Amino acid sequence: AYKHFSTVLRKAGFNRYALIGGVATRIRANPPTTTDIDILVEGDDIALIALLKKSGYAVMSADGIDEWWPEIFAFDKRWKIRVDIFISRREFDDEVLYYATPVRFNGSLFTVASVEHLILYKLLAMRDKDAIHIQSLIDSHGGDINIGYIGKWARRLCVHDSFREYFKGDGE
């Protein structure tokens, strides 16, 4: 499903995108995962909706439920998977896309947000499963995690108290 979706994006000129949710966390740390795909995309949302419909996806706009909620829901009829699409609109989103890297997983190449950005997304959502994902990312990447970077963004995103539950210092 990801391969098909990313091919559709690239063919239409949407070249900056990254996995950001549970599937991305599974690729980076191997915790239990969800069955939907969360992806951050840079580009015009109207053009993206038209492209997805033309490519056979069932599409619904979320119309700004909340700043950190997906803006577009697309259902891949062929693979029977929901794709939650976040449109890059903030400085934080630009950082996520800039630092996203290709990662090989189960023989396929995925563009995935950095461990630091995945932790920040999980701190923003902070559901029970997000706490498990955060701990899995920490356990898998430990000393390689840039805690100062996460701390800086945790303050800017107003999740610093949650950040301190996982990282005992102030992050800088």
Side-chain angles (χ1 to χ4, degrees), residues 52-89:
L52 293 172
K53 286 180 177 178
K54 181 180 174 189
S55 300
Y57 287 85
V59 179
M60 182 180 84
S61 176
D63 284 334
I65 293 172
D66 149 321
E67 179 183 9
W68 295 100
W69 192 261
E71 295 179 55
I72 303 167
F73 298 99
F75 186 74
D76 185 327
K77 298 172 190 175
R78 180 174 161 204
W79 298 100
K80 303 208 181 326
I81 292 177
R82 191 182 79 221
V83 182
D84 297 347
I85 304 163
F86 299 75
I87 303 298
S88 175
R89 299 194 190 282

Side-chain angles (χ1 to χ4, degrees), residues 143-156:
D144 295 330
I145 296 173
N146 185 338
I147 298 169
Y149 182 83
I150 297 172
K152 174 188 91 167
W153 275 104
R155 274 191 288 289
R156 291 180 70 183

Side-chain angles (χ1 to χ4, degrees), residues 11 23 25 136:
K11 282 183 177 179
V23 171
T25 303
S136 293

Side-chain angles (χ1 to χ4, degrees), residues 4-106:
H4 178 258
F5 188 81
S6 63
T7 300
V8 167
L9 289 176
R10 281 194 314 277
K11 282 183 177 179
F14 290 91
N15 297 314
R16 285 183 26 123
Y17 55 87
L19 289 173
I20 59 173
V23 171
T25 303
R26 173 139 176 96
I27 290 169
R28 295 268 189 203
N30 208 25
T33 189
T34 59
T35 57
D36 66 334
I37 297 173
D38 298 311
I39 191 163
L40 174 66
V41 178
E42 179 182 72
D44 178 79
D45 52 339
I46 304 298
L48 181 56
I49 289 170
L51 168 69
L52 293 172
K53 286 180 177 178
K54 181 180 174 189
S55 300
Y57 287 85
V59 179
M60 182 180 84
S61 176
D63 284 334
I65 293 172
D66 149 321
E67 179 183 9
W68 295 100
W69 192 261
E71 295 179 55
I72 303 167
F73 298 99
F75 186 74
D76 185 327
K77 298 172 190 175
R78 180 174 161 204
W79 298 100
K80 303 208 181 326
I81 292 177
R82 191 182 79 221
V83 182
D84 297 347
I85 304 163
F86 299 75
I87 303 298
S88 175
R89 299 194 190 282
R90 298 168 290 268
E91 180 184 357
F92 177 72
D93 300 330
D94 289 338
E95 291 264 318
V96 171
L97 293 172
Y98 181 80
Y99 288 107
T101 58
V103 177
R104 187 159 301 282
F105 182 76
N106 287 346

Side-chain angles (χ1 to χ4, degrees), residues 113-154:
S114 71
V115 170
E116 291 81 3
H117 291 113
L118 292 175
I119 290 171
L120 286 160
Y121 275 119
K122 297 298 176 181
L123 290 171
L124 283 162
M126 216 52 231
R127 300 159 296 186
D128 289 342
K129 69 180 180 179
D130 295 309
I132 293 167
H133 290 176
I134 290 169
Q135 195 58 58
S136 293
L137 288 163
I138 292 169
D139 292 345
S140 295
H141 296 277
D144 295 330
I145 296 173
N146 185 338
I147 298 169
Y149 182 83
I150 297 172
K152 174 188 91 167
W153 275 104

